[in-house]
Amino acid sequence: VVVADLLFKDKSTLLTSAKALGAKHVIFEAKDDMQASVPIEKALSELGDCILAYEMNGAPIPRDHGGPLRAIVPGYAGVRNVKWVQRVKLSSEEAEGAWQRGMNYKAMPSHWRTKQDLQGVDFASLPSIHELPVQCAFSSPAPGDSLPSDEDSVEVKGWALGSAGRSIHRVEVSADGGETWVEADLEEGLDQPYGRAWAWTTWSAEVPVGSGPVELVARAHDLGGGAMP
């Protein structure tokens, strides 16, 4: 069920109608009293692809995965994809509760590193984290796997995800902790619509290895200029 379809009959003026009501956020409330919200620009946009899901792979969503009804907010932090949804509403304010207004999922300065740094901070006034950053991870080899000692290269595989629905356009892999890099081959996921690349892009590479310790690292770049260090 598309979230916009649930809240408005007239789809031609969704944002105008919502803003006329003073709404800035859509709140998802769960049966366990947890709640989280997303901006109306994400929740009501056709390009936002926000839905309320009741099936997964053709079957009812299992309870452990948020069934019977779960919010799906592609590209957003998992906490915004509320499980066990029982109510959806427009609001002029963000959702209440620790998951939206507390310390969790807040954009904080990088120099805040100790409990002392957090004393007296009004967490509710800090911006909430919504969109995920560029991500990249290995699927093979797995942690603890042994590599052949007589090989001068290793085959690696993994996945990458751009920020805010942006497509991945490059993945680089290193076997020496980032001293040298090899560009990976991008595989599945390249055909996703522009601005709506919510699924992983898989990749693989053959990476040279020396005689010393092997430290595999990978980094991804998306079409918006987002990149991992």
Side-chain angles (χ1 to χ4, degrees):
V1 179
V2 177
V3 170
D5 293 346
L6 180 69
L7 295 171
F8 292 96
K9 291 182 178 180
D10 184 359
K11 306 303 183 294
S12 62
T13 58
L14 289 173
L15 286 177
T16 301
S17 299
K19 291 180 178 179
L21 296 172
K24 296 181 179 179
H25 309 272
V26 171
I27 297 177
F28 302 105
E29 296 182 356
K31 289 185 177 181
D32 63 353
D33 294 329
M34 181 271 186
Q35 57 178 266
S37 59
V38 299
I40 58 171
E41 288 81 4
K42 172 65 174 178
L44 303 183
S45 169
E46 180 181 354
L47 300 180
D49 291 323
C50 292
I51 63 173
L52 292 174
Y54 53 85
E55 288 185 348
M56 184 173 70
N57 299 327
I61 297 179
R63 182 174 178 81
D64 287 350
H65 288 280
L69 196 64
R70 178 172 185 168
I72 302 296
V73 187
Y76 270 39
V79 71
R80 311 296 174 220
N81 296 258
V82 176
K83 296 180 178 180
W84 316 304
V85 173
Q86 67 174 355
R87 183 180 302 164
V88 180
K89 65 181 183 181
L90 296 170
S91 175
S92 60
E93 302 288 341
E94 284 190 311
E96 299 285 348
W99 294 105
Q100 191 81 35
R101 302 201 183 198
M103 184 175 67
N104 301 294
Y105 300 96
K106 288 292 186 177
M108 302 184 195
S110 59
H111 63 269
W112 288 2
R113 297 179 181 275
T114 68
K115 290 183 178 179
Q116 186 175 357
D117 294 329
L118 304 178
Q119 289 182 0
V121 173
D122 179 12
F123 294 110
S125 67
L126 298 176
S128 298
I129 293 174
H130 292 298
E131 294 173 346
L132 295 169
V134 180
Q135 300 182 54
C136 185
F138 290 96
S139 58
S140 175
D145 281 356
S146 298
L147 302 179
S149 59
D150 57 345
E151 298 288 344
D152 57 5
S153 66
V154 59
E155 183 184 27
V156 296
K157 298 181 179 181
W159 57 266
L161 184 69
S163 179
R166 302 183 186 100
S167 297
I168 291 293
H169 76 90
R170 188 167 74 255
V171 171
E172 298 162 317
V173 188
S174 171
D176 53 16
E179 293 296 323
T180 59
W181 296 88
V182 171
E183 185 167 348
D185 295 321
L186 303 183
E187 299 172 341
E188 296 182 4
L190 295 176
D191 57 348
Q192 299 181 74
Y194 181 80
R196 302 169 82 176
W198 310 124
W200 291 348
T201 295
T202 58
W203 53 265
S204 64
E206 193 74 26
V207 186
V209 294
S211 57
V214 174
E215 181 184 355
L216 292 172
V217 293
R219 62 189 182 190
H221 306 252
D222 70 21
L223 287 178
M228 301 170 68

Short mmCIF file of all heavy atoms in Angstrom, two decimals, residues 120-163:
data_model
loop_
_atom_site.label_atom_id
_atom_site.label_comp_id
_atom_site.label_asym_id
_atom_site.label_seq_id
_atom_site.Cartn_x
_atom_site.Cartn_y
_atom_site.Cartn_z
N GLY A 120 24.28 18.00 29.15
CA GLY A 120 23.55 19.23 28.91
C GLY A 120 23.07 19.42 27.49
O GLY A 120 22.47 20.45 27.17
N VAL A 121 23.30 18.43 26.62
CA VAL A 121 22.88 18.56 25.22
C VAL A 121 21.38 18.35 25.09
O VAL A 121 20.82 17.40 25.65
CB VAL A 121 23.62 17.53 24.33
CG1 VAL A 121 23.07 17.56 22.90
CG2 VAL A 121 25.11 17.82 24.33
N ASP A 122 20.72 19.24 24.37
CA ASP A 122 19.29 19.08 24.06
C ASP A 122 19.18 18.25 22.78
O ASP A 122 19.20 18.79 21.68
CB ASP A 122 18.64 20.45 23.88
CG ASP A 122 17.16 20.36 23.52
OD1 ASP A 122 16.59 19.25 23.64
OD2 ASP A 122 16.59 21.38 23.11
N PHE A 123 19.10 16.94 22.95
CA PHE A 123 19.12 16.06 21.79
C PHE A 123 17.93 16.30 20.85
O PHE A 123 18.05 16.14 19.63
CB PHE A 123 19.15 14.59 22.23
CG PHE A 123 20.41 14.21 22.94
CD1 PHE A 123 20.41 13.93 24.29
CD2 PHE A 123 21.61 14.16 22.26
CE1 PHE A 123 21.58 13.59 24.95
CE2 PHE A 123 22.79 13.81 22.91
CZ PHE A 123 22.77 13.54 24.27
N ALA A 124 16.80 16.69 21.40
CA ALA A 124 15.61 16.91 20.58
C ALA A 124 15.83 18.03 19.57
O ALA A 124 15.17 18.07 18.52
CB ALA A 124 14.41 17.21 21.46
N SER A 125 16.74 18.94 19.86
CA SER A 125 16.99 20.07 18.96
C SER A 125 17.95 19.72 17.84
O SER A 125 18.08 20.48 16.87
CB SER A 125 17.55 21.26 19.75
OG SER A 125 18.85 20.98 20.25
N LEU A 126 18.63 18.56 17.94
CA LEU A 126 19.57 18.15 16.90
C LEU A 126 18.81 17.54 15.72
O LEU A 126 17.75 16.93 15.89
CB LEU A 126 20.56 17.13 17.45
CG LEU A 126 21.47 17.60 18.59
CD1 LEU A 126 22.33 16.43 19.06
CD2 LEU A 126 22.35 18.75 18.14
N PRO A 127 19.33 17.70 14.50
CA PRO A 127 18.65 17.12 13.34
C PRO A 127 18.65 15.59 13.40
O PRO A 127 19.64 14.97 13.81
CB PRO A 127 19.46 17.62 12.14
CG PRO A 127 20.70 18.22 12.69
CD PRO A 127 20.52 18.47 14.13
N SER A 128 17.53 15.01 13.00
CA SER A 128 17.42 13.54 12.97
C SER A 128 18.09 13.00 11.72
O SER A 128 18.05 13.61 10.65
CB SER A 128 15.95 13.12 12.98
OG SER A 128 15.31 13.54 14.16
N ILE A 129 18.72 11.83 11.87
CA ILE A 129 19.32 11.15 10.72
C ILE A 129 18.23 10.39 9.97
O ILE A 129 17.47 9.63 10.56
CB ILE A 129 20.42 10.19 11.18
CG1 ILE A 129 21.61 10.97 11.75
CG2 ILE A 129 20.89 9.31 10.01
CD1 ILE A 129 22.68 10.09 12.34
N HIS A 130 18.16 10.62 8.68
CA HIS A 130 17.20 9.91 7.84
C HIS A 130 17.91 9.08 6.78
O HIS A 130 17.94 7.87 6.83
CB HIS A 130 16.22 10.90 7.19
CG HIS A 130 15.31 11.58 8.15
ND1 HIS A 130 14.39 10.89 8.91
CD2 HIS A 130 15.16 12.88 8.49
CE1 HIS A 130 13.71 11.72 9.67
NE2 HIS A 130 14.17 12.95 9.43
N GLU A 131 18.50 9.75 5.80
CA GLU A 131 19.13 9.05 4.68
C GLU A 131 20.41 8.35 5.12
O GLU A 131 21.17 8.87 5.93
CB GLU A 131 19.42 10.03 3.55
CG GLU A 131 18.16 10.60 2.92
CD GLU A 131 18.47 11.71 1.92
OE1 GLU A 131 19.61 12.20 1.94
OE2 GLU A 131 17.58 12.06 1.14
N LEU A 132 20.64 7.18 4.55
CA LEU A 132 21.85 6.43 4.82
C LEU A 132 23.00 6.96 3.98
O LEU A 132 22.80 7.43 2.86
CB LEU A 132 21.63 4.95 4.49
CG LEU A 132 20.60 4.21 5.34
CD1 LEU A 132 20.31 2.84 4.72
CD2 LEU A 132 21.10 4.05 6.76
N PRO A 133 24.23 6.88 4.48
CA PRO A 133 25.39 7.25 3.67
C PRO A 133 25.74 6.14 2.68
O PRO A 133 25.14 5.06 2.71
CB PRO A 133 26.50 7.41 4.72
CG PRO A 133 26.12 6.43 5.79
CD PRO A 133 24.60 6.45 5.82
N VAL A 134 26.70 6.40 1.81
CA VAL A 134 27.19 5.36 0.91
C VAL A 134 27.75 4.20 1.73
O VAL A 134 28.45 4.41 2.73
CB VAL A 134 28.30 5.93 -0.01
CG1 VAL A 134 28.81 4.84 -0.95
CG2 VAL A 134 27.77 7.10 -0.81
N GLN A 135 27.42 2.98 1.31
CA GLN A 135 27.84 1.80 2.03
C GLN A 135 28.44 0.76 1.09
O GLN A 135 28.10 0.72 -0.09
CB GLN A 135 26.66 1.17 2.78
CG GLN A 135 26.01 2.09 3.78
CD GLN A 135 24.87 1.43 4.52
OE1 GLN A 135 25.03 0.37 5.11
NE2 GLN A 135 23.71 2.04 4.47
N CYS A 136 29.31 -0.06 1.64
CA CYS A 136 29.96 -1.11 0.85
C CYS A 136 30.43 -2.21 1.79
O CYS A 136 30.90 -1.92 2.89
CB CYS A 136 31.15 -0.51 0.10
SG CYS A 136 31.99 -1.62 -1.03
N ALA A 137 30.29 -3.46 1.38
CA ALA A 137 30.70 -4.57 2.25
C ALA A 137 31.09 -5.78 1.41
O ALA A 137 30.69 -5.92 0.25
CB ALA A 137 29.57 -4.94 3.21
N PHE A 138 31.87 -6.66 2.04
CA PHE A 138 32.28 -7.92 1.40
C PHE A 138 31.24 -9.01 1.67
O PHE A 138 30.72 -9.12 2.78
CB PHE A 138 33.63 -8.39 1.94
CG PHE A 138 34.80 -7.54 1.52
CD1 PHE A 138 35.28 -6.53 2.35
CD2 PHE A 138 35.43 -7.75 0.31
CE1 PHE A 138 36.35 -5.75 1.98
CE2 PHE A 138 36.51 -6.98 -0.08
CZ PHE A 138 36.98 -5.97 0.76
N SER A 139 31.00 -9.83 0.67
CA SER A 139 30.23 -11.06 0.87
C SER A 139 31.13 -12.29 0.77
O SER A 139 30.79 -13.35 1.26
CB SER A 139 29.10 -11.16 -0.16
OG SER A 139 29.60 -11.12 -1.49
N SER A 140 32.30 -12.12 0.14
CA SER A 140 33.27 -13.20 0.02
C SER A 140 34.64 -12.59 -0.26
O SER A 140 34.74 -11.66 -1.05
CB SER A 140 32.89 -14.14 -1.13
OG SER A 140 33.87 -15.12 -1.35
N PRO A 141 35.68 -13.07 0.42
CA PRO A 141 35.68 -14.12 1.45
C PRO A 141 35.04 -13.64 2.74
O PRO A 141 34.93 -12.44 2.99
CB PRO A 141 37.17 -14.40 1.63
CG PRO A 141 37.85 -13.12 1.26
CD PRO A 141 37.03 -12.54 0.16
N ALA A 142 34.64 -14.60 3.55
CA ALA A 142 34.01 -14.29 4.83
C ALA A 142 35.07 -14.11 5.91
O ALA A 142 36.20 -14.59 5.77
CB ALA A 142 33.05 -15.41 5.21
N PRO A 143 34.72 -13.43 7.00
CA PRO A 143 35.68 -13.29 8.11
C PRO A 143 36.17 -14.66 8.59
O PRO A 143 35.37 -15.57 8.79
CB PRO A 143 34.85 -12.59 9.18
CG PRO A 143 33.81 -11.82 8.42
CD PRO A 143 33.47 -12.70 7.25
N GLY A 144 37.47 -14.80 8.74
CA GLY A 144 38.04 -16.05 9.21
C GLY A 144 38.43 -17.02 8.12
O GLY A 144 39.07 -18.04 8.39
N ASP A 145 38.03 -16.72 6.86
CA ASP A 145 38.42 -17.60 5.76
C ASP A 145 39.93 -17.56 5.56
O ASP A 145 40.58 -16.53 5.74
CB ASP A 145 37.74 -17.17 4.46
CG ASP A 145 36.29 -17.62 4.39
OD1 ASP A 145 35.85 -18.33 5.31
OD2 ASP A 145 35.61 -17.26 3.40
N SER A 146 40.48 -18.70 5.16
CA SER A 146 41.91 -18.79 4.84
C SER A 146 42.11 -18.58 3.34
O SER A 146 41.31 -19.04 2.51
CB SER A 146 42.46 -20.15 5.24
OG SER A 146 42.34 -20.35 6.64
N LEU A 147 43.20 -17.88 2.99
CA LEU A 147 43.51 -17.64 1.60
C LEU A 147 44.66 -18.54 1.18
O LEU A 147 45.59 -18.78 1.96
CB LEU A 147 43.91 -16.18 1.39
CG LEU A 147 42.87 -15.13 1.80
CD1 LEU A 147 43.41 -13.72 1.57
CD2 LEU A 147 41.57 -15.33 1.02
N PRO A 148 44.64 -19.07 -0.06
CA PRO A 148 45.74 -19.93 -0.53
C PRO A 148 47.07 -19.18 -0.49
O PRO A 148 47.17 -18.04 -0.95
CB PRO A 148 45.32 -20.26 -1.97
CG PRO A 148 43.85 -20.03 -2.02
CD PRO A 148 43.57 -18.92 -1.07
N SER A 149 48.07 -19.81 0.07
CA SER A 149 49.38 -19.16 0.22
C SER A 149 50.17 -19.11 -1.09
O SER A 149 51.14 -18.36 -1.20
CB SER A 149 50.20 -19.87 1.29
OG SER A 149 50.38 -21.24 0.94
N ASP A 150 49.75 -19.93 -2.07
CA ASP A 150 50.51 -19.99 -3.32
C ASP A 150 49.87 -19.15 -4.43
O ASP A 150 50.29 -19.24 -5.60
CB ASP A 150 50.65 -21.44 -3.79
CG ASP A 150 49.28 -22.12 -3.97
OD1 ASP A 150 48.28 -21.56 -3.47
OD2 ASP A 150 49.25 -23.21 -4.59
N GLU A 151 48.88 -18.37 -4.11
CA GLU A 151 48.21 -17.53 -5.11
C GLU A 151 48.72 -16.10 -5.01
O GLU A 151 49.00 -15.60 -3.90
CB GLU A 151 46.69 -17.56 -4.90
CG GLU A 151 46.07 -18.93 -5.04
CD GLU A 151 46.03 -19.41 -6.48
OE1 GLU A 151 46.20 -18.57 -7.40
OE2 GLU A 151 45.86 -20.63 -6.70
N ASP A 152 48.82 -15.41 -6.15
CA ASP A 152 49.27 -14.02 -6.14
C ASP A 152 48.11 -13.03 -6.25
O ASP A 152 48.31 -11.83 -6.40
CB ASP A 152 50.27 -13.76 -7.27
CG ASP A 152 49.70 -14.10 -8.65
OD1 ASP A 152 48.50 -14.45 -8.74
OD2 ASP A 152 50.47 -14.03 -9.63
N SER A 153 46.87 -13.56 -6.20
CA SER A 153 45.69 -12.70 -6.20
C SER A 153 44.55 -13.42 -5.49
O SER A 153 44.60 -14.64 -5.30
CB SER A 153 45.26 -12.32 -7.63
OG SER A 153 44.83 -13.46 -8.34
N VAL A 154 43.54 -12.67 -5.11
CA VAL A 154 42.37 -13.24 -4.44
C VAL A 154 41.11 -12.67 -5.06
O VAL A 154 41.05 -11.48 -5.38
CB VAL A 154 42.41 -12.95 -2.91
CG1 VAL A 154 42.45 -11.45 -2.64
CG2 VAL A 154 41.21 -13.57 -2.21
N GLU A 155 40.12 -13.52 -5.28
CA GLU A 155 38.83 -13.08 -5.80
C GLU A 155 37.95 -12.63 -4.64
O GLU A 155 37.77 -13.36 -3.67
CB GLU A 155 38.13 -14.19 -6.58
CG GLU A 155 36.82 -13.73 -7.20
CD GLU A 155 36.05 -14.85 -7.90
OE1 GLU A 155 36.23 -16.03 -7.49
OE2 GLU A 155 35.29 -14.55 -8.82
N VAL A 156 37.42 -11.43 -4.76
CA VAL A 156 36.55 -10.90 -3.71
C VAL A 156 35.23 -10.47 -4.34
O VAL A 156 35.17 -10.11 -5.52
CB VAL A 156 37.20 -9.69 -2.99
CG1 VAL A 156 38.46 -10.13 -2.25
CG2 VAL A 156 37.54 -8.57 -3.96
N LYS A 157 34.17 -10.53 -3.54
CA LYS A 157 32.84 -10.13 -3.98
C LYS A 157 32.17 -9.34 -2.87
O LYS A 157 32.54 -9.45 -1.70
CB LYS A 157 31.99 -11.36 -4.33
CG LYS A 157 32.54 -12.21 -5.46
CD LYS A 157 31.63 -13.40 -5.74
CE LYS A 157 32.18 -14.23 -6.89
NZ LYS A 157 31.28 -15.39 -7.21
N GLY A 158 31.16 -8.56 -3.25
CA GLY A 158 30.45 -7.79 -2.24
C GLY A 158 29.30 -7.01 -2.82
O GLY A 158 28.85 -7.26 -3.95
N TRP A 159 28.82 -6.07 -2.04
CA TRP A 159 27.69 -5.24 -2.46
C TRP A 159 27.95 -3.79 -2.04
O TRP A 159 28.76 -3.52 -1.15
CB TRP A 159 26.37 -5.72 -1.85
CG TRP A 159 26.36 -5.77 -0.34
CD1 TRP A 159 26.64 -6.84 0.45
CD2 TRP A 159 26.07 -4.68 0.56
NE1 TRP A 159 26.55 -6.51 1.78
CE2 TRP A 159 26.20 -5.18 1.89
CE3 TRP A 159 25.71 -3.36 0.38
CZ2 TRP A 159 25.99 -4.39 3.01
CZ3 TRP A 159 25.50 -2.55 1.50
CH2 TRP A 159 25.64 -3.08 2.80
N ALA A 160 27.27 -2.88 -2.72
CA ALA A 160 27.38 -1.45 -2.39
C ALA A 160 26.01 -0.80 -2.54
O ALA A 160 25.17 -1.27 -3.31
CB ALA A 160 28.40 -0.77 -3.29
N LEU A 161 25.82 0.28 -1.79
CA LEU A 161 24.54 1.00 -1.81
C LEU A 161 24.83 2.49 -1.76
O LEU A 161 25.55 2.96 -0.88
CB LEU A 161 23.67 0.58 -0.62
CG LEU A 161 22.27 1.17 -0.54
CD1 LEU A 161 21.39 0.60 -1.66
CD2 LEU A 161 21.63 0.87 0.81
N GLY A 162 24.27 3.23 -2.71
CA GLY A 162 24.45 4.67 -2.73
C GLY A 162 23.54 5.36 -1.73
O GLY A 162 22.63 4.77 -1.16
N SER A 163 23.79 6.64 -1.51
CA SER A 163 22.97 7.43 -0.59
C SER A 163 21.79 8.04 -1.33
O SER A 163 21.90 8.44 -2.50
CB SER A 163 23.81 8.55 0.03
OG SER A 163 23.04 9.35 0.91
#
